[in-house]
Amino acid sequence: NQLYLGGNRMDFKDFVVKKILISYFLAVTGITAAMGIIGSVLAPQVTFGYYAFLSPFLFGLVAVIPSMVTYSKKPLSVRQMFVRLVLHFILLEILILLFAYLAGLVTSSSIAISLALSVLIIDVTVNLLHWLNDKRTAGELNAALKKMQNSAD
């Protein structure tokens, strides 16, 4: 049961662990920071109960749902992966803004715009961290392959 993600072959378990769970925890971290910053700027007088500690986890769960559009059963070209990442971002914005609206958190256009920008920043950061990790892993694999090739010569 092998899947491809951005040209890399991985089974579904690896996809969930390496991409979905890491994305979830990165998103929760970014959401928590964004909530603190946006709240401090736009509504400093508002206080929350303990339930507010759970909202980043719920938003993180909603945020990883669109990640499923990024895997494929066959290798993807750079263009195909780019199209999927754009689709992912559009779905992400829609889901997060809809979830926030339904939760009663979007009370003004400034909050909606701040939230949309926060989603953009968090999504770019998550994708950048995934890319840096994938680049590091590829470098390690290439170095190991080169070492094996040199020792075989």
Side-chain angles (χ1 to χ4, degrees), residues 13-82:
K13 179 182 171 186
D14 286 341
F15 176 76
V16 170
V17 171
K18 291 181 180 175
K19 297 296 179 184
I20 301 296
L21 285 178
I22 290 171
S23 294
Y24 173 78
F25 289 113
L26 290 171
V28 167
T29 302
I31 290 164
T32 303
M35 287 176 65
I37 293 167
I38 292 170
S40 297
V41 171
L42 298 178
Q45 73 284 0
V46 176
T47 59
F48 296 99
Y50 288 109
Y51 70 90
F53 288 108
L54 300 176
S55 62
F57 297 106
L58 295 174
F59 276 95
L61 185 61
V62 171
V64 296
I65 293 169
S67 297
M68 297 307 284
V69 302
T70 61
Y71 81 68
S72 175
K73 292 182 180 181
K74 59 183 179 171
L76 299 174
S77 68
V78 172
R79 180 183 168 127
Q80 289 171 323
M81 193 62 190
F82 178 76

